Structure formats: C-alpha cells, structure tokens
Amino acid sequence: MKVYKFGGASINSVDRIKNVANIINEHKSEKLLVIISAMGKTTNALEAVVNAYFEGRKEDALQLFEQIKESHLNTLKFVTTLQWNAATIQMKDFFTEIEWLLHDKPVRHYDYYYDQVVCCGELFSTAIVAWHLKEIGIDAAWVDVRDIVRTDNNFRDAGVDWAFTENAIQQQIKPLFNKHDVVITQGFIGATDENESTTLGREGSDYSGAIFANLLPAKSVSIWKDVDAVMNADPKQFADAVNIHELSYAEVIEMAYYGAQVIHPKTIKPLQNKGIPLYVKSFINPVLPGTVISNTHVKGLPPIIVIKEKQVLMQFKSKDFSFVEDKPVEQLHHIFKEIKVKPNLSQNTAISLLCCFDEHAEKTDRLASEASEIFDVIVEKDLTLLTIRYYDEATIEKLTTEKTVVLTQQTPVTVQMLMK
Ligand code: ASP
Ligand code: MG
C-alpha cells in the first residue's frame, strides 16, 4: 500500500486532472491511498468568502462562493459524461451545506467559520477526481476524511487525535482495499468529536499524507509536485538551482525550519518514526527520479539556499544598562507566545536581545509596543534573511555583494545573514 498526495497545482485544469488520473491508473495495482488538496487557488478564494461573511458582507460572500461553485461545476462537466448527473448531485449537496451557513449571522469566532467553509475546497476536488476515475473505469472509493481524521477544536491549526484516527483507519479505510485498488480522500481537513470541520494549517495536505502513511502503515509516500525534484534553492530566484535526488529526514526538517517551501514541516516526523520513505515526484514528468527522503545520511550536498524577504529586526535593550537576564527575557517570550510570533533568528548580547521576525505589521507593531514597557525597542524593517546550509566562501560572497549585513549567525553547517 502506498500513499500518493497531489497538491492544488496538479489538478488546476481539466488536462491536469486527466494527467493525475493517468498516474493513478498506472500505479493502482500497488493499492493507493490518494490524498488531494483543493484545486489551484481554491483555498485562497474560500478565505475571501469567509472574510466577507465574517465582516457581515453576506451578499459578497455568496457571490464569491458562486464563482467557486461555477468553476468547479465547469471542470466537472469536462471530466465526466455518464457520471455527470450523480456527480452534480453530490457537488450540490456540498454547496447547500455551505450556503446554509452563509445565510446565518456569525455568532462564533472567526477560526471556527474559517474551517467550516474552507474545508469544502478539498471535498470538491476529491469528488471531481473520484468521479472522473469512475468515468474512465477506475472504481475508486471516495471517503470523507472528516469521518477518519479526528482532531481537537483548535480551529485552523487543529491537533490530531492519533488513537481515534488509527482506529478509524484500521476499521474503515483498510477494508476498502479488499474491494478497491484506490481510495481517495482529502488532505488538510479533519473533524472534532462534535462533527465540526477543522483544518490542520495551510499547506497541511502533506501532513495528512504522513498521518495516513504512519497509521496504515504505507510502504512509501509520494508527493506529486510541479518540480522535477527538491532543489537546493528556489528556481524562481536562482536560475542555477540544482536538483537534489536524495535527502535525509533531518535535512528536510532543517530546510523547512529555515523557511524552504519544500514540504510541510509537520510531515516528516510521522514518516521518520516509522522509517517510511518520502518521494517528491514531478506530475509533469513522472518518469524522472525526483527526490527520495529517508533515514540515509547524505553526504556532499550542494549549498542549500533559503531566502526570506520582508523581515523585521527588533532590538530589545535593557533600559538601565542591566544585563538582559532571565526574568525580562522570560517576559518577552511570554509576549511572543501571546501575539503568536516566532523569531526566525535571535541573538543575545550583554544588554540586549536581537530578534528577527516575518513582517506582519499588525503583530510586530503590537509586539514593539508591548515590549517597550520592559525594554527600549529599536525596529528595523525591510530586511532579507539569507540562510545557507553547507556554505562556502564563494556562495556567501555571491549572495551578499552590494548588501549590508546587519546580523550574522554561523555554525559549522549553517550561516544566516540578515541583510539590507
Ligand atoms: N488547500 C490547502 C492550502 O492551500 C491545503 C494544501 O494545499 O495542502 O493550504
Ligand atoms: Mg497546496
């Protein structure tokens, strides 16, 4: 049994849906648990629906939702014929559920509504792919993952109830493979014990794949993407970026930690714990080898470069020249937690603490103002954080010319530079 995960870009057009169906068809004898994200930019579009709804702009919300409905029905029309009728009935049931909600006035908090609305992107996309498979003669079982992945009610960042989920997978998913080669379900979403929909955090479908792989357990997980393999840098920023065909779990966790947009950071642990290899494959060129991520220690990696723009450096300086000791730093970390900010880099000096954050004006302004009760706060905006793993002088030189470095942190493996 293998887990295949397809992201939004792999199904963002009729041709691409057919392409995904081909990939599934070619490998179905392996028994596939297929996890799919919402089509293209649907999740963003649904976020706009929730925002309009929550701000009391009901008509806007309904109008925006109408566009999402239309585009899905339109796609469905091109990938089904015989199945079109039954498929449309299922889609309309999903629509009605959301529209009922949009007609009510919000009485609970934003995150709750976010999850009730945004979760439908994955329901739509998986239904469309499953009906298309049926159309071409593959009898895939479609499962509403909200009956399987149980979570707490920390909406938008829900925590998984592993024991319940494991039991549901053993009782409800495994038997499906007696009759079907392919089981299709949604990434990113789950449900509470009160049947409220939840989501696992943006880009969380990779993580869903890892949850299923761990609990089935699966022989491997393949994440199908629009890149040939994991690369040492973002090819949009670096024309000379190169493919890396083999990586260790540890390396990928580090890369994700420093901000590389490779794989959702939570994905690795469930796989590492069971020694399940993770393949990153190209859905455009499935014959390419892609990248395999496993326990093997990989030597001789090229410099791995991660760039984070829009960084803010905050210097928290003790007001009376006393050392920055435990107590004030503790207070500061308490504020970080409260505002939900995490430094991307931090450094101590005798009388000050330097931290660099992603620039979210609302959060960083609040942070500066709250921290100024304990410290003198100096803020510097519009910075870039460069991280290089396996750095060499030439790479550092190349990436820092004509830049002013305001902060450097270096270990034998990794150098980070905050630059203007
Ligand atoms: N559709 C969700 C998102 O866009 C989950 C995912 O793609 O992994 O964040
Ligand atoms: Mg996605």
Side-chain angles (χ1 to χ4, degrees):
M1 205 173 292
K2 292 184 174 175
V3 171
Y4 275 15
K5 182 261 171 175
F6 292 97
S10 69
I11 48 164
N12 69 0
S13 68
V14 169
D15 285 345
R16 285 200 167 173
I17 290 173
K18 291 181 176 171
N19 173 58
V20 162
N22 280 340
I23 294 175
I24 293 173
N25 192 26
E26 265 166 39
H27 300 273
K28 63 178 189 297
S29 62
E30 320 235 28
K31 300 267 176 195
L32 302 178
L33 187 284
V34 178
I35 302 275
I36 305 182
S37 309
M39 282 173 64
K41 299 271 176 253
T42 305
T43 304
N44 293 358
L46 287 164
E47 285 182 342
V49 174
V50 186
N51 293 345
Y53 166 73
F54 203 73
E55 286 160 14
R57 295 182 285 114
K58 177 174 140 186
E59 289 313 315
D60 288 350
L62 287 165
Q63 175 55 34
L64 289 166
F65 189 61
E66 198 61 37
Q67 289 168 19
I68 298 170
K69 277 165 61 179
E70 269 167 35
S71 78
H72 281 84
L73 286 176
N74 196 39
T75 305
L76 180 66
K77 201 167 66 190
F78 286 101
V79 297
T80 54
T81 328
L82 287 175
Q83 304 303 327
W84 180 79
N85 211 7
T88 309
I89 291 170
Q90 188 188 19
M91 296 298 280
K92 288 194 171 157
D93 282 345
F94 293 146
F95 298 157
T96 309
E97 211 178 300
I98 302 297
E99 279 164 345
W100 271 354
L101 182 147
L102 296 179
H103 277 287
D104 281 342
K105 273 215 167 63
V107 287
R108 295 180 63 172
H109 59 84
Y110 176 85
D111 291 353
Y112 165 79
Y113 290 108
Y114 180 100
D115 283 2
Q116 308 321 301
V117 173
V118 164
C119 72
C120 73
E122 270 68 13
L123 295 169
F124 300 167
S125 65
T126 50
I128 291 176
V129 173
W131 286 110
H132 174 63
L133 287 173
K134 189 146 204 190
E135 190 74 47
I136 63 168
I138 302 166
D139 182 22
W142 180 88
V143 174
D144 186 333
V145 83
R146 295 173 299 177
D147 296 329
I148 309 294
V149 174
R150 169 69 59 85
T151 71
D152 59 22
N153 63 359
N154 188 19
F155 296 104
R156 290 187 74 185
D157 189 20
V160 173
D161 176 341
W162 285 83
F164 181 98
T165 306
E166 169 155 37
N167 190 44
I169 287 178
Q170 296 306 326
Q171 303 293 325
Q172 297 177 57
I173 299 292
K174 276 228 172 132
L176 291 174
F177 283 105
N178 296 332
K179 280 208 199 136
H180 305 268
D181 288 334
V182 181
V183 175
I184 292 200
T185 196
Q186 305 78 37
F188 177 56
I189 70 178
T192 67
D193 55 3
E194 292 180 35
N195 274 325
E196 299 158 318
S197 302
T198 52
T199 63
L200 308 177
R202 283 303 304 262
E203 303 302 327
S205 294
D206 293 349
Y207 179 43
S208 303
I211 295 168
F212 274 91
N214 176 292
L215 297 177
L216 276 165
K219 217 160 90 186
S220 65
V221 177
S222 301
I223 295 187
W224 296 85
K225 293 171 81 86
D226 57 357
V227 291
D228 293 348
V230 175
M231 302 183 94
N232 74 320
D234 182 348
K236 287 184 213 113
Q237 293 166 329
F238 298 94
D240 56 354
V242 294
N243 293 335
I244 304 176
H245 294 296
E246 211 180 345
L247 283 166
S248 66
Y249 297 123
E251 186 57 44
V252 174
I253 288 222
E254 295 283 349
M255 287 167 73
Y257 171 80
Y258 290 114
Q261 312 261 313
V262 216
I263 283 149
H264 191 284
K266 281 187 185 168
T267 311
I268 299 301
K269 182 178 150 58
L271 301 180
Q272 191 276 341
N273 288 175
K274 291 249 170 108
I276 299 168
L278 169 61
Y279 295 89
V280 175
K281 295 274 292 174
S282 160
F283 62 76
I284 297 165
N285 278 313
V287 289
L288 295 178
T291 301
V292 55
I293 298 156
S294 69
N295 251 332
T296 339
H297 177 71
V298 182
K299 287 205 191 92
L301 288 171
I304 295 175
I305 302 162
V306 183
I307 290 185
K308 280 189 148 209
E309 306 283 0
K310 291 219 165 126
Q311 300 293 300
V312 190
L313 177 64
M314 287 200 193
Q315 184 173 7
F316 306 101
K317 248 170 123 176
S318 91
K319 288 195 185 216
D320 57 0
F321 226 71
S322 62
F323 285 108
V324 182
E325 337 122 296
D326 300 348
K327 189 84 185 140
V329 172
E330 218 175 84
Q331 282 172 295
L332 194 58
H333 281 285
H334 186 74
I335 301 175
F336 291 175
K337 227 173 152 185
E338 195 103 304
I339 304 181
K340 290 191 181 162
V341 290
K342 260 195 212 129
N344 295 325
L345 184 71
S346 63
Q347 209 166 78
N348 271 7
T349 76
I351 54 163
S352 73
L353 182 68
L354 293 150
C355 295
C356 142
F357 303 94
D358 293 336
E359 195 175 325
H360 293 298
E362 198 186 298
K363 286 186 177 184
T364 30
D365 290 352
R366 184 170 153 211
L367 173 59
S369 115
E370 287 188 21
S372 65
E373 285 170 24
I374 329 169
F375 298 96
D376 284 327
V377 184
I378 303 167
V379 180
E380 195 172 351
K381 292 187 178 173
D382 265 331
L383 302 169
T384 300
L385 178 60
L386 164 69
T387 303
I388 315 172
R389 290 184 52 80
Y390 314 106
Y391 56 88
D392 53 36
E393 280 314 314
T395 311
I396 294 178
E397 176 77 33
K398 193 177 100 190
L399 297 175
T400 55
T401 44
E402 290 172 27
K403 300 265 166 42
T404 312
V405 175
V406 295
L407 192 68
T408 302
Q409 208 163 76
Q410 197 160 3
T411 73
V413 181
T414 309
V415 63
Q416 291 193 282
M417 293 173 153
L418 195 59
M419 317 183 294
K420 295 201 259 231

